[in-house]
Amino acid sequence: MDLGRLSETDIRSKFITPAIVGPEGAGWDLLTQMREEVYFTKGRVVVRGKSVARGKAMKADYLLCYKPNLPIAVVEAKDGDHALGDGMQQALEYAETLDVPFAYSSNGEGFLEHDRTGLSDRPERELALSEFPSPDELWMRYRRWKGLSDEQTEIVTQDYYSDGSQKSPRYYQLNAINRTVGAIASGQDRVLLVMATGTGKTYTAFQIIWRLWKSGAKKRILFLVDRNILADQTKTNDFKPFGAAMTKIKNRTVDKSFEIYLCLYQAVTGQDESKNIYKQFSPDFFDLVVVDECHRGSAADDAAWRQVLEYFSSATQIGLTATPKETKEVSNIEYFGDPVYTYSLRQGIADGFLAPYKVVRIGLDKDLDGWRPEAGQLDKHGHEIEDREYNASDYDRHLILEKRTELVAAKVTEFLKATNRFHKAIVFCENIDHAERMRQALVNANADLAAANSKYVMRITGDNDEGKAQLDNFIDPEATYPVIATTSKLMTTGVDAQTCHLIVLDQTIKSMTEFKQIIGRGTRINEDYGKLYFTIMDFRRATALFADPDFDGDPVQIYEPKEGDPPVPPDETHFDDEPAESGEHASDCPVDTRSDPGSDGDVTFGGGSDGGKPTRYYVNDVEVAVAVERVQYLDADGKLITESLTDYTRRSLLESYATLDEFLGDWNEAERKEAIVATLREKGVFLDELAEQVGRDYDPFDLVCHVAFDRPPLTRRERADNVRKRDVFGKYEGKAREVLEALLEKYADDGLRSVESLEILKVSPFRDFGTPVEILRLFGDREGYEKAIRELESAIYAGAA
């Protein structure tokens, strides 16, 4: 058989699949061990102006698993025109991503194997179709690579929990679970797992604990969290299958009859020895301790969590974090060791599992230029304001400019009015006092909706029971209210806000750990509710941390509007100047390094004082105005660019087509021109958005030729008129000619997309010519009709070369 004539699908079904399955099914089980066309990423969400699309998802032709959720090999297939190893580089990329040791490439003649274990003198070898390794052979090689004993193998092969829904962990969750279980089976007793916020750390932890518990490797497990809501969410959601074997430690009461313990670390520790109730357990009671959000202090020598970890030092300990902390005082890696697996924010955005985001940067004049009171000036409570230079580090801590708060609320409201006033938003404030004042300002700015429902704006802080009671409603996609939540620290972690579209930063953030946690409040995607990306509105220059080399997930757009400009990013912006931080508005005021009185626990309201001197000055007669706003884009690869949409499109097109002839060749050879447009869309080139700026009457062909190659464009109407002048339809008669003339008119009105779809035959005026089947018969059959469409397209673009 001439394999060169066979498609990839034919090669797979006739040669590759039978070789993998083996004669009479003696090889890999078709139902439980072999999966075909496995999409393991979602495709990056690409945002350009008002358009949102997904890039191309990664797909393995074959994924071979020794057991369900235990993948060990990938196979990449090519059609008969390719050489045996042409798919190997792609297979290796997939194998690295999926964390499997064996990669294969095939064109139907045989297989090329690549062994990534490092145990073979020759990593690559050719195999005949009949020589494809069996599951047992590859598994034995896998065990030899990992050094697994029979006892360790029992742990590593323990089944995952399944609820019967066929839900499978995402590839990175599988990698994290399998690596962690494998490390513990091999005797590692300190394990660090780094996964970006929104990637399912708790579900991953559940599967790890489930497999270790079910295998008998670990019998009593302690799961430590630092927020009560995290413990409750964990118990009722991801950990629910543990059922009666699980308890939550509360009211400082210990019951030793359970196997799985959920615990808020504050509930078992305290400064008084009597409050350290964890010591009611013997030091060897637990054989596994899992620490959620371990960056929050568990690795600090003086932290309460560290006391618990050291007390249960004989237990295997797993640290989970989105943001490993490495400072002189705190080190997760020093305690837990290097991460066994890392899944970063940048990778999550690239894979399409996490939402990208735009940034609106708003610089206020008093923040950028500072403010100094006049001699003897009094605040609204009659206190004389200390005479010194105040800047952004002082506002809402030592000095309250009430009109600044009102302006922030006004800009947030303006943004919501321009987008959707019921898109959920979180406003991060300096402290509880600031969060309350911001709530009031937002209520006043949205008086109509606040009057319709008092929960439209809510303060959700640690001291307020009414607000905390609404947290579940805020994170519930189906609950309309609350819409806007003002907070300080409470919502920085553990809040699964799937439909949060707007994050407002009016809080000084200098910690990369805290910054990533806050960004993580918006990174979850919920396509059912239209949440594919979100916006960060930054009033405190916190997004300057984007420039930090430790930051790993860049924005799709940064926008800094000028005074009077709307806060919603435009579809196109261009800068020739440097950012404001290096320009005339850069503040030369020194940063106040005194102790911060504005923690989440600070509930001082009004003009309280300490020894006669106010803790804060409240000023209500100082005007505050917007000084600067700006925008930038990210390309489809996640790289920050500072250019217009037109320039970006030109650069992207030239990466795909170096010359006009190259583009024309692809265009003329394509059976469906819309396929080329779809491919460009996957690369982040949105021709519909470009048409809004260049001209709605231009065809995608002319947009590409004009923007990328400086060719003068013709409108669709001009192209249609040129076709009519050449009498292209002369060989067709009667209704067939009328159909083609109607299609040409449709092209002039709506573009090529409608012409290439058979659905067009179901609408007016084509219904006058009969049913779609009857219209196809006017041209002999469907093949004749499609030939006529290709002739029509050739006529439309004739002379373009």
Side-chain angles (χ1 to χ4, degrees), residues 224-227 264-266 269 291-300 303-310:
L224 277 173
V225 299
D226 75 329
R227 300 284 173 91
L264 185 71
Y265 84 87
Q266 296 95 326
T269 61
V291 187
D292 193 22
E293 305 292 357
C294 66
H295 66 276
R296 294 187 62 84
S298 62
W305 275 6
R306 184 65 172 255
Q307 298 172 25
V308 178
L309 293 177
E310 290 180 345

Side-chain angles (χ1 to χ4, degrees), residues 209 213 219-225 231 234-235 239 242-250 253-265 268 277-278 280-282 285-292 308 312:
I209 295 170
W213 181 57
K219 297 178 175 59
R220 292 196 184 98
I221 294 108
L222 175 64
F223 188 75
L224 277 173
V225 299
T234 299
K235 184 178 180 182
F239 280 37
F242 285 124
M246 173 178 57
T247 187
K248 176 188 173 185
I249 299 175
K250 52 187 176 181
T253 301
V254 169
D255 184 341
K256 300 179 183 179
S257 62
F258 294 89
E259 296 176 74
I260 312 294
Y261 292 79
L262 304 181
C263 179
L264 185 71
Y265 84 87
V268 294
I277 65 166
Y278 66 89
Q280 293 182 31
F281 295 102
S282 63
F285 183 84
F286 295 108
D287 44 21
L288 177 64
V289 178
V290 181
V291 187
D292 193 22
V308 178
F312 297 116

Side-chain angles (χ1 to χ4, degrees), residues 178-251:
N178 289 336
R179 281 204 187 185
T180 303
V181 171
I184 292 172
S186 298
Q188 189 171 328
D189 60 3
R190 298 291 182 271
V191 178
L192 180 62
L193 199 53
V194 179
M195 295 174 65
T197 300
T199 57
K201 287 196 300 296
T202 310
Y203 170 74
T204 301
F206 162 72
Q207 289 286 8
I208 292 169
I209 295 170
W210 178 271
R211 294 178 66 198
L212 293 173
W213 181 57
K214 281 294 185 179
S215 69
K218 304 297 176 185
K219 297 178 175 59
R220 292 196 184 98
I221 294 108
L222 175 64
F223 188 75
L224 277 173
V225 299
D226 75 329
R227 300 284 173 91
N228 202 42
I229 187 174
L230 295 178
D232 292 337
Q233 286 178 348
T234 299
K235 184 178 180 182
T236 57
N237 297 326
D238 289 320
F239 280 37
K240 187 177 180 179
F242 285 124
M246 173 178 57
T247 187
K248 176 188 173 185
I249 299 175
K250 52 187 176 181
N251 300 324

Side-chain angles (χ1 to χ4, degrees), residues 331-456:
S331 174
N332 294 132
I333 291 176
E334 179 186 356
Y335 186 83
F336 289 103
D338 290 326
V340 294
Y341 186 71
T342 297
Y343 190 71
S344 67
L345 173 62
R346 175 177 282 119
Q347 190 62 51
I349 293 174
D351 288 342
F353 292 120
L354 296 180
Y357 49 93
K358 299 180 179 182
V359 175
V360 178
R361 284 179 175 167
I362 300 179
L364 306 181
D365 58 352
K366 299 302 185 290
D367 292 14
L368 299 174
D369 299 330
W371 178 77
R372 184 174 181 178
E374 297 177 1
Q377 183 172 345
L378 305 179
D379 75 355
K380 76 173 190 177
H381 297 296
H383 300 292
E384 182 175 340
I385 304 172
E386 180 184 354
D387 183 15
R388 67 177 180 88
E389 189 83 23
Y390 293 88
N391 57 44
S393 65
D394 293 300
Y395 302 143
D396 301 300
R397 298 184 180 194
H398 312 115
L399 177 76
I400 283 79
L401 297 178
E402 293 187 352
K403 293 194 175 181
R404 184 190 180 283
T405 306
E406 293 170 2
L407 179 58
V408 171
K411 298 302 287 186
V412 172
T413 302
E414 185 182 348
F415 180 90
L416 291 173
K417 285 182 176 179
T419 52
N420 187 323
R421 295 184 76 185
F422 286 92
H423 275 171
K424 294 192 177 183
I426 305 175
V427 185
F428 286 95
C429 303
E430 290 285 6
N431 44 56
I432 290 175
D433 175 40
H434 185 201
E436 172 57 24
R437 288 184 290 101
M438 185 62 70
R439 183 199 67 78
Q440 296 171 21
L442 284 164
V443 166
N444 290 333
N446 296 273
D448 55 340
L449 295 183
N453 191 305
S454 62
K455 294 182 177 61
Y456 180 76

